[in-house]
Amino acid sequence: MARNAKTRVAMLLENNYYPHDPRVRREAESLVLAGFDITVICPGMKGQPSREVRNGVRIWRYPGPADARDMIGYVREYGYSLVAALFLVSELGIRYGVDVIHAANPPDLFVLIAMLCRPFGVRFIYDQHDLAPEMYRARYWSRCKPSIAALLQILERISYRFADHVLVTNYSYMDCALKRGNVSPDRVSIVRNGPDDAQLGYLASHAVGLKTANQATIVYLGLMGALDGVDHLIQALHHLRYELGRIEFRCILVGSGEELPNLRQLACALGLEEYVHFTGFLPDPEFIAYLQAADICVDPDPSSEYNDRSTMLKIMDYMAAAKPIVAFDLPETRCSAAAAALYVKPNDELEFAKALAHLIDNPDQRREMGRIGRRRVEGDLSWSSSAKSLLRAYETVLNRGHGEAAYRAQPSTKQGNG
């Protein structure tokens, strides 16, 4: 979809870094290839430049806020990020012009910036990565405050209503947009989190020797927060070792998060030091070596109103590596993995352990499940398929329009770092 005059897009990201967020990176690079002028505005990690250009994507970073530990921390983080992003969007508009604001949630606050820019003809694409109300209730279920849940629902509703187009990751999220947000079907597009051609090619050509003889390698890849269920996995490994009597395994947990210290303590308390190994956070592509070494990959996300509706990125990574999966039977997990996974009753740790033991004993089944998963992500679940949906959504927004975009100040003659 080449364009004669480049459409200028400000992509706003708060809860991750660029290019570490694979969805935003793939969206940005796909839009650049299609002829758009893309600027990602996001927090910066220590050591990252405040401004740079990567693969044609202009990146403007503000100093990252301190990690939030409680609700007051989140208010401070989100308020600071909102002001910082508004400042950089304003500078971007003055220097280069902005035609579209493409905002990734959470939080659902970036709609406020889009509302301020609307009088200048700027259009708004709401990229719903997460269902914020469900995520809050699942995370703080024991101390959930109705007032905060209501505020999150209001912000989500405003984002739905104000958006020229809504991007969602699966049919469950689309259903929320249609029913809860009263968004018309022509204003919603599914853009899944599939692996791109570079990741598929790398996984196909790089086999790294981390395997050990006579030992099945189980790998978990992802965040280790309150919603991710890694404690369920460790309990299942305890069942595997001490109730099922299996000793021919090791489990490598790749990732980090607020629960990591507690998970290390839990593994020690359950006598699993010999069997459980934590790598900490590993950037792409360093974690791929561990995926290649895996005999079985696991997704212990427990059932909740949030997880049941969400597509887990780790599932796509596992299938891209052609690995069999053991997971709790959640609707969107089954929709993504299909026969590439063994499903067990949600939150049942002993059944999870039994499924692991079954796959340890059946290498032929593991290989066939891996082949099924790889075929799925090479087809309709690939990023190339998602990119087509993304570009169709942009074409719809730009063709629909809201009058002439007046927020098109002449670029400054100053030369910056990007």
Side-chain angles (χ1 to χ4, degrees):
M1 192 174 79
R3 309 188 64 81
N4 293 327
K6 284 191 175 184
T7 299
R8 293 158 292 190
V9 181
M11 301 188 75
L12 309 185
L13 172 67
E14 194 283 332
N15 73 327
N16 206 338
Y17 304 101
Y18 191 93
H20 292 79
D21 189 306
R23 176 181 177 86
V24 174
R25 175 177 56 79
R26 288 165 183 154
E27 287 176 328
E29 292 179 358
S30 295
L31 289 168
V32 165
L33 287 174
F36 290 79
D37 183 297
I38 304 297
T39 302
V40 174
I41 294 174
C42 63
M45 295 176 64
K46 183 178 180 180
Q48 286 185 315
S50 61
R51 300 196 178 182
E52 66 171 326
V53 175
R54 280 177 174 243
N55 296 329
V57 178
R58 185 186 301 115
I59 309 159
W60 286 10
R61 300 183 178 97
Y62 54 87
D67 290 338
R69 299 294 181 182
D70 51 28
M71 287 310 303
I72 294 176
Y74 281 111
V75 170
R76 187 183 300 114
E77 173 190 337
Y78 292 157
Y80 161 78
S81 297
L82 180 66
V83 172
L86 176 59
F87 177 82
L88 291 180
V89 168
S90 300
E91 182 184 350
L92 183 68
I94 293 169
R95 291 186 61 184
Y96 298 108
V98 175
D99 301 307
V100 178
I101 287 178
H102 178 146
N105 88 324
D108 288 329
L109 289 171
F110 286 139
V111 65
L112 302 178
I113 295 177
M115 292 171 74
L116 291 174
C117 295
R118 175 55 59 85
F120 302 100
V122 179
R123 297 153 207 176
F124 176 47
I125 292 179
Y126 174 42
D127 193 351
Q128 192 173 32
H129 293 196
D130 293 296
L131 299 174
E134 282 83 355
M135 184 168 62
Y136 168 70
R137 288 193 293 267
R139 183 184 179 90
Y140 297 103
W141 63 272
S142 63
R143 56 188 191 278
C144 177
K145 296 183 182 299
S147 58
I148 295 177
L151 176 60
L152 293 173
Q153 289 176 330
I154 290 170
L155 289 170
E156 181 190 70
R157 190 177 302 118
I158 293 172
S159 298
Y160 280 142
R161 184 167 299 176
F162 196 77
D164 294 281
H165 209 86
V166 179
L167 305 180
V168 294
T169 58
N170 59 42
Y171 283 104
S172 293
Y173 279 30
M174 173 177 269
D175 190 59
C176 285
L178 298 176
K179 295 179 179 177
R180 194 157 83 192
N182 294 316
V183 181
S184 60
D186 64 319
R187 288 177 47 230
V188 186
S189 296
I190 295 177
V191 178
R192 292 187 176 274
N193 292 323
D196 56 24
D197 291 341
Q199 182 182 359
L200 290 170
Y202 191 95
L203 284 162
S205 61
H206 288 69
V208 182
L210 294 175
K211 289 183 178 292
T212 58
N214 303 317
Q215 201 175 41
T217 299
I218 301 165
V219 170
Y220 171 86
L221 170 67
L223 292 174
M224 299 183 189
L227 301 180
D228 301 303
V230 183
D231 56 330
H232 289 289
L233 172 61
I234 292 175
Q235 293 286 358
L237 296 172
H238 179 263
H239 288 305
L240 182 64
R241 171 62 186 89
Y242 293 103
E243 291 193 38
L244 303 182
R246 309 303 291 263
I247 61 173
E248 71 280 29
F249 75 92
R250 64 170 179 165
C251 182
I252 302 174
L253 295 99
V254 182
S256 64
E258 72 231 17
E259 289 298 309
L260 180 56
N262 296 331
L263 295 169
R264 291 182 187 274
Q265 292 177 8
L266 179 61
C268 290
L270 295 177
L272 294 171
E273 302 99 316
E274 182 182 348
Y275 301 95
V276 175
H277 308 276
F278 296 88
T279 70
F281 171 77
L282 294 176
D284 183 2
E286 289 181 29
F287 66 78
I288 289 177
Y290 292 91
L291 285 183
Q292 292 288 16
D295 296 297
I296 304 166
C297 288
V298 288
D299 180 5
D301 283 286
S303 178
S304 69
E305 62 172 343
Y306 172 68
N307 286 342
D308 289 356
R309 295 176 173 179
S310 299
T311 299
M312 308 305 173
L313 186 59
K314 65 177 75 71
I315 292 289
M316 300 298 179
D317 289 329
Y318 297 161
M319 291 194 293
K323 302 300 178 178
I325 303 162
V326 174
F328 290 127
D329 195 359
L330 311 185
E332 285 297 336
T333 299
R334 183 178 283 273
C335 180
S336 297
L342 280 186
Y343 303 97
V344 301
K345 180 181 176 181
N347 309 353
D348 190 323
E349 295 155 354
L350 179 57
E351 289 301 312
F352 203 101
K354 291 178 179 178
L356 289 172
H358 174 80
L359 285 184
I360 289 173
D361 293 337
N362 291 275
D364 290 342
Q365 182 179 356
R366 296 201 307 261
R367 284 189 287 272
E368 178 57 24
M369 291 169 65
R371 284 193 288 267
I372 290 171
R374 177 73 184 199
R375 287 198 297 268
R376 287 182 64 76
V377 295
E378 288 176 337
D380 292 341
L381 296 181
S382 69
W383 177 252
S384 60
S385 222
S386 295
K388 293 175 184 176
S389 181
L390 173 68
L391 296 178
R392 285 194 298 267
Y394 263 83
E395 193 65 32
T396 298
V397 168
L398 297 174
N399 286 340
R400 184 186 296 123
H402 283 277
E404 287 300 316
Y407 199 56
R408 301 181 180 216
Q410 290 298 317
S412 167
T413 57
K414 297 179 180 179
Q415 298 298 312
N417 295 323

